[in-house]
Amino acid sequence: VPPEGFRAIFNGRDLTGWYGLNPHSVVKLQGEKREASLKKQREEFANHWRVENGELVNVGTGPYATTEEQFGDIEFRIEYKTVAKADSGIYLRGTPQVQIWDKNQIFDAKKPTRKPHLGSGGLFNNLPDSPGRDPLVVADKPFGEWNSFRIRQVGARTWVWLNDKLVVDGAVMENYWDRTKPLPAKGPIMLQTHGGEIRWRNLFVRDIPADEASRLLREVEGAKK
């Protein structure tokens, strides 16, 4: 049941409204090869994703769960539960990503830009050391428990609360696909999967009206001057 002002984008019964797509696998393809890959991923989607007890479930394989609907300025609520060593994330407007880590991983100095020990929720595909790339606090719950995200995307600005703790405060989400351009105005929500089982539930969206969006942008951009 969505909170007041929100609507469900996953019905808890089947995969209606969703399809399979790993955008990284097609970004360099063109023409018939691209179309063939897109078709194949749609066809394979239901082989990798299932609905169980009102949850959207994937074991760590296959294309990402992608909404047919395109979203602009939104507030998004979602809960997830994952397993050790898994790696996942939430793509906003088709762009990576709000990161989900196994925070128990030990920092590897040979990979200095990967910091899973700092916890989930950061904008991992922003450039290293840029605002928002690493979360402000560690807010992940222990494995076996459900985590809850509240994500607000307005223009290129992103706010992320993980388990009611602010982990990204109005940072600009970079356009991973072309950093010379701003974030697209609209795009799908995508649930990434690889490395282990992840479960999602209670996927709710509230569309943010233009007046509210303008106010939020004025507030954050004024505060960051």
Side-chain angles (χ1 to χ4, degrees):
V1 178
E4 184 177 356
F6 287 75
R7 57 191 171 89
I9 60 170
F10 165 57
N11 64 23
R13 301 183 303 275
D14 56 40
L15 301 175
T16 299
W18 296 79
Y19 68 99
L21 172 62
N22 178 343
H24 303 277
S25 69
V26 298
V27 67
K28 295 182 179 179
L29 298 181
Q30 296 181 347
E32 292 182 0
K33 288 185 178 180
R34 178 181 175 84
E35 293 306 313
S37 178
L38 293 173
K39 182 174 182 291
K40 185 171 184 288
Q41 291 186 69
R42 278 185 175 268
E43 292 172 347
E44 292 179 344
F45 178 52
N47 297 332
H48 296 275
W49 291 81
R50 70 182 189 275
V51 178
E52 186 177 285
N53 300 321
E55 302 160 11
L56 187 57
V57 185
N58 179 281
V59 297
T61 62
Y64 308 161
T66 304
T67 60
E68 297 279 5
E69 185 175 353
Q70 304 277 302
F71 299 92
D73 295 337
I74 59 169
E75 183 175 345
F76 179 41
R77 300 191 180 216
I78 184 171
E79 297 177 356
Y80 74 91
K81 182 165 63 174
T82 189
V83 297
K85 299 182 180 180
D87 180 346
S88 185
I90 299 169
Y91 286 36
L92 302 172
R93 301 185 193 167
T95 303
Q97 75 178 317
V98 175
Q99 177 69 24
I100 295 173
W101 287 119
D102 172 358
K103 70 178 177 64
N104 300 300
Q105 294 181 66
I106 298 173
F107 175 68
D108 183 353
K110 295 179 181 178
K111 300 177 181 177
T113 62
R114 295 175 63 86
K115 301 175 182 178
H117 63 293
L118 297 183
S120 301
L123 308 182
F124 178 67
N125 293 89
N126 277 10
L127 292 173
D129 300 320
S130 63
R133 179 179 167 106
D134 298 320
L136 298 171
V137 296
V138 178
D140 307 62
K141 290 185 177 180
F143 288 121
E145 296 184 28
W146 286 94
N147 293 272
S148 63
F149 270 129
R150 174 190 168 206
I151 299 169
R152 190 166 64 195
Q153 185 69 44
V154 181
R157 296 280 182 178
T158 310
W159 291 257
V160 181
W161 292 262
L162 175 58
N163 299 318
D164 297 321
K165 295 181 180 179
L166 182 66
V167 295
V168 174
D169 187 10
V172 171
M173 175 177 277
E174 298 169 12
N175 185 343
Y176 171 82
W177 308 112
D178 185 348
R179 296 188 196 275
T180 67
K181 297 179 180 179
L183 199 69
K186 283 195 170 185
I189 291 171
M190 309 178 76
L191 306 179
Q192 185 197 48
T193 176
H194 58 83
E197 182 186 87
I198 189 161
R199 293 171 175 265
W200 313 85
R201 71 181 185 186
N202 294 332
L203 284 68
F204 304 130
V205 162
R206 178 178 71 88
D207 298 294
I208 296 177
D211 58 343
E212 181 182 350
S214 296
R215 176 180 58 79
L216 290 168
L217 290 178
R218 286 196 305 270
E219 290 174 356
V220 69
E221 289 167 4
K224 296 191 182 289
K225 287 182 180 179

